[in-house]
Amino acid sequence: MEINDLLIPTAQIIVTAILTAYTTAKVNAKIQNIKEEINEIKHDIKEISNRVISNELKIAKLEAVVD
């Protein structure tokens, strides 16, 4: 087996490794973006929940005054 016989398979392995690394990096970046969006949504839900609780407390105080 000559060295030329090894060049094409070696090149294919190298290209595959580069494409795999590139694809993995892109997927990881997308996953990170999704995680950040999820954290933002969680924060928004927490803020809304706090407002709802605050409004419920205000309603309870007003109901107590009315009763």
Side-chain angles (χ1 to χ4, degrees), residues 15-67:
V15 169
T16 301
I18 291 169
L19 290 174
T20 301
Y22 173 76
T23 303
T24 301
K26 283 188 75 169
V27 168
N28 286 340
K30 285 185 179 186
I31 289 170
Q32 186 60 37
N33 287 341
I34 291 168
K35 285 180 178 180
E36 289 172 8
E37 288 179 24
I38 288 170
N39 284 336
E40 288 176 18
I41 291 168
K42 283 181 180 178
H43 179 73
D44 291 347
I45 289 171
K46 192 176 251 183
E47 281 185 7
I48 292 167
S49 177
N50 287 339
R51 281 190 238 146
V52 168
I53 291 169
S54 175
N55 286 340
E56 287 175 346
L57 290 173
K58 289 176 186 175
I59 290 168
K61 286 179 184 177
L62 289 172
E63 288 175 342
V65 170
V66 171
D67 291 341

Side-chain angles (χ1 to χ4, degrees), residues 6-20:
L6 297 174
L7 288 178
I8 291 176
T10 303
Q12 288 175 331
I13 291 169
I14 292 169
V15 169
T16 301
I18 291 169
L19 290 174
T20 301

